[in-house]
Amino acid sequence: MQTQLAPEFKGTPAGDEAEAILRKCVHCGFCTATCPTYQLLGDELDGPRGRIYLMKQVLEGHAPTRKTQIHLDRCLTCRNCESTCPSGVDYGHLVEIGRQIVDDKVTRPAGERAVRWLLKEGLTSALFAPALKVGQMLRPLLPPALKHKVPAPAGAQAHRWPTRNHPRAVLLLAGCVQPAMMPNINSATARVLDAAGIRTLVADEAGCCGAIRAHLGDHEGGLADMRRNIDAWWPSVTAGKVEAIVMNASGCGATVKDYGHALAHDAAYADKARRISALTKDLSELLPDLVPRLKDKVRRRRHTHLAFHPPCTLQHGMQLRGGVEAGLAELGFDVQLAPRESHLCCGSAGTYSVLQPEMAYALRDRKLEQLAPLQAQVIVSANIGCIQHLQSGTTTPVRHWVEVVDEALAD
C-alpha cells in the first residue's frame, strides 16, 4: 500500500512506524474473514482493512471525524487479523497509533470522556478493592447488568500463599483488579509453582501493566505505569534472583512482552524495557517444565472434562497456541476447544465490555453457543477479563486453568 504522509507525521517515530506497517498491506481482505466485529456488522469499515484505510487517510492529512473514531473504537484489538494476515501487517501497533492521533483531533462527548476517565482511574486505584467489597455486600440488590461485573467474595483458600523457600524463583505481576476480583488466581499460581519447586515473588510497587490507560487513550499514563513496573522489578532482575517474570493474565502478558516496543524511544528505559520483555513469560510457557514435576502429585481431578477458551491476547497477541491444552492433557485432564470459532474473541477485551456492551454481549453469547456442545464441567481460560465476561452468561463454572490444576494437587 503506497502512502504519502502529511508533513505533521513525516519523520516522526509514530508516523514512520505507521507508514512501514501500512506499506505491508496488500488489500487482500483475508483479515475480514476472522474479524469479530466484521462478522457481526458486515461493514467494511468495521473490519481491519476498512480501518486501515481510515487510518491511512488520517495519516495522509484528511481530517478525522466522529465516525472515524467510532469505527476505531469498535475494534476489540483482538489481533486475530494479525494471525490471518499473509503479509505480516502489524495491525495492533497501527491501531494504537491511529487511535491516539484521532483522539487528539476529535473531541469525545462529555459522557464518554467521563466513563473512560472513571475506568482508567478507578480500575487502577487503591480504592478499587474497598469499593468492590461494598459492591459485593450490595450484590443481591444490584441490577443484573451491574451484578455481572461484581463477582461473589472469594473463600479463605484464595488468600493461602505458600511460604516455603526454593532455589528457583519467579516474579509474578499481581495485576490491578485481579487481587480484589479473583484473588485465588494468584494464590493458586503460587501454590502450583511451589509444588514444582519454584517460589513466587511479588513486587509490591508494581501495579497495572499499563494496558488500561493506554487502551483508554492515556498514552503517557500507560507509559508511566510501565516505567513504574520496570523500576519495581529491576532490583530482583539485576541481582539474578528470578529466572522469569510470570503473567497469569494473558492481557497483561501481551502488554509486558511489548514494553520493549512501547519504550523503544525512551533513552532511560529502552534497554531495561527490552530486558523485561525478554524475561516475561505467560504461565502456560512454564508448563513443559512444570508438568514432569507435577504429574505424580496430581492424584484426583475433581473436574476432568474441561472446555478451554484461549484468550485473544494468548493466541493472537503472544502467538501462544496449544500449550495449555497439551499441559492439561498430560496431567490427565480431558480438555477440548470449541469445535468452531475458537479463534474468535469472546467480547471481553479489557474495558470493551463496558464501553461497547451490545457488541461485547453478542460476542459472549456466540462464544458460549460454540462451547455448549462440549458439555464441559468447567470452562477454563487464561485471562481474568475473559473469565468474568463468560461467567456473566452461563451457569457453568468459568475458571483460570491454574485453579483447576491447584485443586487437583490439593486433592
Side-chain angles (χ1 to χ4, degrees), residues 83-164:
S83 295
T84 311
C85 180
S87 303
V89 175
D90 189 357
Y91 175 85
H93 287 143
L94 178 63
V95 79
E96 285 180 9
I97 295 169
R99 282 171 165 163
Q100 186 180 352
I101 292 171
V102 171
D103 283 354
D104 286 343
K105 294 177 177 290
V106 178
T107 302
R108 292 182 178 276
E112 204 169 283
R113 294 200 305 274
V115 171
R116 293 168 77 90
W117 184 87
L118 284 170
L119 286 170
K120 74 183 179 72
E121 297 301 329
L123 295 177
T124 59
S125 170
L127 297 175
F128 176 78
L132 180 65
K133 285 183 180 179
V134 174
Q136 288 171 332
M137 291 171 60
L138 299 174
R139 194 170 184 270
L141 306 175
L142 297 176
L146 190 54
K147 188 183 293 185
H148 289 330
K149 302 294 182 186
V150 181
Q157 177 76 354
H159 303 287
R160 187 174 65 79
W161 197 275
T163 57
R164 294 189 298 176

Side-chain angles (χ1 to χ4, degrees), residues 300-327:
R300 292 169 53 220
R301 287 163 293 281
R302 192 178 306 168
H303 305 299
T304 58
H305 183 35
L306 309 174
F308 178 55
H309 162 61
C312 296
T313 41
L314 186 73
Q315 61 175 325
H316 305 307
M318 291 186 280
Q319 295 290 309
L320 296 174
R321 300 184 186 87
V324 174
E325 305 96 288

Side-chain angles (χ1 to χ4, degrees), residues 77-80 83 248-252 254 282 284 307-322 324-325 337 342-350 367 379-387 390 398-401:
T77 325
C78 69
R79 296 168 67 179
N80 202 335
S83 295
N248 57 15
S250 60
C252 298
D282 180 77
S284 66
F308 178 55
H309 162 61
C312 296
T313 41
L314 186 73
Q315 61 175 325
H316 305 307
M318 291 186 280
Q319 295 290 309
L320 296 174
R321 300 184 186 87
V324 174
E325 305 96 288
L337 295 174
S342 64
H343 60 286
L344 283 187
C345 183
C346 70
S348 172
K367 176 63 64 177
I379 298 169
V380 292
S381 192
N383 190 58
I384 182 174
C386 303
I387 294 166
L390 289 173
V398 186
R399 311 195 64 192
H400 196 290
W401 64 262

Side-chain angles (χ1 to χ4, degrees), residues 95-354:
V95 79
E96 285 180 9
I97 295 169
R99 282 171 165 163
Q100 186 180 352
I101 292 171
V102 171
D103 283 354
D104 286 343
K105 294 177 177 290
V106 178
T107 302
R108 292 182 178 276
E112 204 169 283
R113 294 200 305 274
V115 171
R116 293 168 77 90
W117 184 87
L118 284 170
L119 286 170
K120 74 183 179 72
E121 297 301 329
L123 295 177
T124 59
S125 170
L127 297 175
F128 176 78
L132 180 65
K133 285 183 180 179
V134 174
Q136 288 171 332
M137 291 171 60
L138 299 174
R139 194 170 184 270
L141 306 175
L142 297 176
L146 190 54
K147 188 183 293 185
H148 289 330
K149 302 294 182 186
V150 181
Q157 177 76 354
H159 303 287
R160 187 174 65 79
W161 197 275
T163 57
R164 294 189 298 176
N165 284 317
H166 299 287
R168 300 176 63 187
V170 297
L171 276 166
L172 175 72
L173 176 64
C176 46
V177 300
Q178 190 162 282
M181 288 187 74
M182 298 182 185
N184 193 54
I185 295 176
N186 287 342
S187 56
T189 300
R191 291 190 294 267
V192 169
L193 291 176
D194 176 66
I198 302 171
R199 188 181 180 196
T200 303
L201 306 174
V202 174
D204 293 334
E205 298 83 5
C208 178
C209 65
I212 288 179
R213 293 184 190 279
H215 293 166
L216 288 170
D218 184 2
H219 181 67
E220 289 305 318
L223 293 178
D225 285 340
M226 296 175 193
R227 295 186 190 101
R228 180 206 58 228
N229 289 347
I230 292 172
D231 289 341
W233 294 327
W234 199 244
S236 295
V237 169
T238 54
K241 292 181 179 178
V242 295
E243 58 189 68
I245 303 171
V246 174
M247 304 288 145
N248 57 15
S250 60
C252 298
T255 299
V256 179
K257 285 193 175 197
D258 202 44
Y259 276 14
H261 174 272
L263 292 163
H265 301 288
D266 185 324
Y269 280 86
D271 290 339
K272 291 181 179 181
R274 280 192 291 269
R275 187 167 176 188
I276 292 295
S277 291
L279 274 174
T280 299
K281 293 183 181 296
D282 180 77
L283 183 60
S284 66
E285 293 181 88
L286 273 59
L287 277 171
D289 181 36
L290 298 179
V291 167
R293 298 167 181 271
L294 300 177
K295 212 169 184 179
D296 293 338
K297 299 180 181 182
V298 175
R299 302 296 181 188
R300 292 169 53 220
R301 287 163 293 281
R302 192 178 306 168
H303 305 299
T304 58
H305 183 35
L306 309 174
F308 178 55
H309 162 61
C312 296
T313 41
L314 186 73
Q315 61 175 325
H316 305 307
M318 291 186 280
Q319 295 290 309
L320 296 174
R321 300 184 186 87
V324 174
E325 305 96 288
L328 291 176
E330 203 171 342
L331 289 172
F333 296 95
D334 171 21
V335 57
Q336 295 176 285
L337 295 174
R340 295 176 61 245
E341 298 187 353
S342 64
H343 60 286
L344 283 187
C345 183
C346 70
S348 172
T351 57
Y352 190 92
S353 62
V354 177

